[in-house]
Amino acid sequence: MTGTHSRQPLLSRRKLFALGGAGAAGLLGTALALQATAKPAHGRRPRPATSPSASSSATASPSASASASASTDASAATTVAGQTLVEVPANLSFVFATDLSNNAGAGEASAIASAYSLGAYEVTNAQYKTFLDDSSRTAPSYWDGDDFPSGKDEHPVLYVSLEDAEAYCDWLTDQADGWTFRLPTEAEWENAARGPDAYAYPWGDTAGTTYASGVLTSKYNYNAVCAAYYLANYGSTEATYNNKNSTRYGESEPISDIIAVTSTGGVSGWIDHTTWTGFVYTDVFDELTASGGNTSAVGAYPDGASSYGAYDMAGNCFEWTSSIITATNGGEAGQQVNAVRGGSWYANGRSCATSYRGEGRDGSGGYLTVGIRVAADRS
């Protein structure tokens, strides 16, 4: 599949929230240990030069950070057309853990008749650039021209439409002898994320996130990672509410007065749609999203690996699936759209659980919280 699509403007924060997941406060936690290293200074402090995860120790490449910590249950990985693939067995008795409204135990059966392969990692900016260099498609809008932001080569590519994602899979197929690449179905995605023990998170039944004395410890990248980073390093920096609908438009206050993280990794002050306030409606957040948001390098959270050896199936970015659903959450609620799964750097902990459903996106659009994980079959 070839062709082009128009570059779209960066999303409004109201629209971005609709893409981010369920609700404004994170319920269960995430991945990075962050600690304040100095007392807060008075007045404004310099803005961070890069996104939180881009400047943290959690951005090692997959080969350095992830391969040594693969689950003991994971199958051996195979590399095809530059993609690291893990094997997932068939599951004729697969049943979704919830329905599309997230009612536990009400999910429909969706038999998975054949074994399949799944990308061990989300598709990175660097991998996607190789594809773009060999095609006529348009680069994601947060890139600088035809190149991704500095330091984000191993971060997941975002702002790719469903057509972009399918074209990328077709391009991989053309390079792979005896393999066909595609997007996973929603059932295949959840089956691989839950594993044979039907875990609530890819690694187990508890998130295991803690936040104490300015240190966040977690197994995945969601909105608490971003919040903890700014509190630890820029808590006294003043952020300005810059949406004209805001009840506090033009006012500034320290970031530490806007957001807070609970002991289990929940986030308050992330966003409030009734008053157009919260961290998301500030100039500091705008600066973050201009470079692609707070993603982390794929595989940077090795303790979050799934039973089959796939990384970042909780958080970092939502991932396209080929399945059409009637969305129940966000701006797409009530619309027939493609299901996206896994939560993101923007989403709360609930949205990152393996059972969380109802998020969908219009396939014609690109989104700052949605990327690609490929599936593949032997031809």
Side-chain angles (χ1 to χ4, degrees):
M1 184 182 299
T2 59
T4 61
H5 76 284
S6 299
R7 180 176 298 183
Q8 302 180 40
L10 292 179
L11 302 174
S12 69
R13 281 158 293 181
R14 180 173 287 274
K15 179 63 174 175
L16 181 59
F17 174 73
L19 306 178
L27 304 179
L28 292 172
T30 172
L32 188 56
L34 297 164
Q35 186 170 17
T37 57
K39 294 181 180 179
H42 295 290
R44 297 183 71 89
R45 293 176 61 186
R47 303 289 196 198
T50 59
S51 67
S53 8
S55 60
S56 75
S57 60
T59 55
S61 66
S63 60
S65 64
S67 59
S69 301
S71 167
T72 55
D73 295 330
S75 302
T78 302
T79 300
V80 180
Q83 294 289 310
T84 303
L85 303 175
V86 294
E87 292 295 318
V88 184
N91 187 350
L92 292 173
S93 61
F94 176 80
V95 178
F96 284 103
T98 71
D99 63 11
L100 289 170
S101 296
N102 289 294
N103 296 306
E108 69 273 23
S110 184
I112 299 171
S114 303
Y116 55 101
S117 295
L118 193 72
Y121 309 105
E122 294 154 335
V123 175
T124 68
N125 284 310
Q127 290 173 326
Y128 196 73
K129 177 172 171 51
T130 302
F131 160 64
L132 290 182
D133 289 344
D134 194 34
S135 74
S136 59
R137 306 192 80 81
T138 305
S141 60
Y142 66 94
W143 286 24
D144 183 9
D146 294 328
D147 204 2
F148 47 79
S150 176
K152 289 197 170 184
D153 52 332
E154 293 298 323
H155 288 228
V157 66
L158 306 174
Y159 219 80
V160 288
S161 69
L162 180 73
E163 183 180 350
D164 292 329
E166 291 173 336
Y168 180 74
C169 290
D170 290 345
W171 178 76
L172 290 175
T173 298
D174 289 342
Q175 302 177 66
D177 184 15
W179 288 81
T180 299
F181 283 81
R182 56 181 175 82
L183 296 176
T185 66
E186 188 186 15
E188 288 173 333
W189 191 98
E190 184 172 315
N191 177 58
R194 284 165 51 189
D197 295 315
Y199 286 146
Y201 292 88
W203 55 85
D205 284 328
T206 59
T209 306
T210 62
Y211 182 69
S213 302
V215 178
L216 179 73
T217 302
S218 174
K219 300 178 187 292
Y220 63 115
N221 179 11
Y222 72 123
N223 68 352
V225 170
C226 183
Y229 174 85
Y230 277 96
L231 288 171
N233 295 281
Y234 299 93
S236 63
T237 296
E238 291 187 350
T240 302
Y241 296 106
N242 61 354
N243 188 287
K244 292 185 177 180
N245 294 308
S246 176
T247 57
R248 300 190 60 190
Y249 176 67
E251 296 181 23
S252 301
E253 63 179 329
I255 291 173
S256 59
D257 288 348
I258 300 175
I259 51 177
V261 181
T262 71
S263 61
T264 56
V267 180
S268 62
W270 186 251
I271 193 168
D272 186 338
H273 286 314
T274 61
T275 60
W276 301 76
T277 58
F279 182 63
V280 170
Y281 287 117
T282 68
D283 58 343
V284 175
F285 187 81
D286 279 355
E287 293 172 10
L288 173 62
T289 58
S291 63
N294 185 45
T295 54
S296 51
V298 300
Y301 296 89
D303 290 342
S306 73
S307 297
Y308 296 119
Y311 296 84
D312 300 307
M313 296 197 81
N316 214 15
C317 69
F318 279 107
E319 299 164 8
W320 283 113
T321 77
S322 61
S323 299
I324 303 295
I325 62 167
T326 301
T328 58
N329 302 307
E332 293 81 6
Q335 299 177 25
Q336 293 284 302
V337 289
N338 282 76
V340 296
R341 297 297 302 266
S344 75
W345 64 269
Y346 180 96
N348 62 36
R350 179 190 175 201
S351 303
C352 299
T354 59
S355 62
Y356 183 76
R357 301 180 69 193
E359 290 287 334
R361 303 292 181 268
D362 185 332
S364 65
Y367 308 90
L368 273 171
T369 56
V370 181
I372 309 169
R373 185 186 300 271
V374 301
D377 306 298
R378 293 183 185 273
S379 302

